[in-house]
Amino acid sequence: MTRHWTLQQAPRMDGRLALVTGATGGLGYQTALGLASRGARVMLTGRNAEKGQAALARLRQEQPGADASFRLLDLASLGSIAAFAHELAQETDRLDVLVNNAGVMGTPTRMETRDGFELQFGTNFLGPFALTARLRPLVCAADGGGRVVTVASLAALTGRIVFDDLQGRRRYAPFRAYGQSKLADLILALELDRQAHAHGWPLHSIAAHPGWARTDIATSRLTARQGLRERLTRVGAVWAFRLMGQSAAHGALPLEFAAMAPQARDGGYYGPDGPGERRGNVGEALVPPAAADPVTARRLWQAAERLTGTALS
């Protein structure tokens, strides 16, 4: 890997189509901006049309001449995912880069998606799983095989897949659910790489995490509904991110590396190379044992296919 990788070292992406989920702000927006700066045709997606148009206007202002568009896509709705994938297939015959970035973090009370899944597990993992399954033919049709970048988190290190309560119906804790969803994302990326090699798919699956990036998702979600202990924990976490974290632009570098750099390897996992992988330059990230276990991966894969009604194998 090139030491101290920067966006300027990325190859030109002219003529290539890149789709970034959750691109109305934070890491998603910065990743879309980075792709656009290298000449990619970028499609930003999000669930809020007003925010989407604002993000699009901002991107065009920061990157004059950018070939960019915004599309509505709600990762918390399997119906929205199916409709979006169908419409995209009518517009293009290939997709060069898919960045599965959209997510929610630490919802203080248990909430559900439109399909009845726990909100974090449904939005952060099942949604990207279903989207990737439906877009796989377009990704495989890209010249040389497209890239699927799945955004994990440091929370994956302490995450645990609770197979007998995936939806947190019996016991819900905000950051336990978040950790499970991000560990599941990392498992998705690694297992997708195994499946691609096993089936001969021309597809490159790579994972990345931003470390401690100062984004809205990391510094919000403090509500009156939370108990005193949860609120104090959240306040401490917010201040830790603000004092010791890095900017969204810097946090997006591992995502951009995974999406564009020739050095990014299939099945790789990238994040900041500083202490605790909280900030720093792009480097190899630590894969927790739970994410590397093929038995856990196959079990989760089967559960995801059953719950989403999509097949990724």
Side-chain angles (χ1 to χ4, degrees), residues 2-35:
T2 301
R3 192 69 176 159
H4 296 181
W5 187 84
T6 66
L7 186 58
Q8 288 67 39
Q9 295 173 29
R12 294 294 302 176
M13 299 287 287
D14 303 272
R16 296 180 179 269
L17 175 62
L19 167 63
V20 183
T21 68
T24 59
L27 297 168
Y29 173 80
Q30 292 295 334
T31 302
L33 179 63
L35 284 157

Side-chain angles (χ1 to χ4, degrees), residues 1-11 34-35 37-38 147 249-250 252-264 270 273 280-283:
M1 186 188 304
T2 301
R3 192 69 176 159
H4 296 181
W5 187 84
T6 66
L7 186 58
Q8 288 67 39
Q9 295 173 29
L35 284 157
S37 76
R38 304 309 295 164
R147 294 194 187 194
H250 210 88
L253 282 175
L255 285 61
E256 294 163 336
F257 179 88
M260 292 184 278
Q263 306 97 312
Y270 302 98
D273 65 355
N281 300 298
V282 180

Side-chain angles (χ1 to χ4, degrees), residues 77-103:
S77 167
L78 294 178
S80 175
I81 293 167
F84 174 86
H86 176 75
E87 292 172 5
L88 185 61
Q90 306 307 305
E91 298 178 25
T92 182
D93 60 358
R94 52 123 178 110
L95 178 61
D96 297 280
V97 179
L98 168 61
V99 181
N100 285 317
N101 163 76

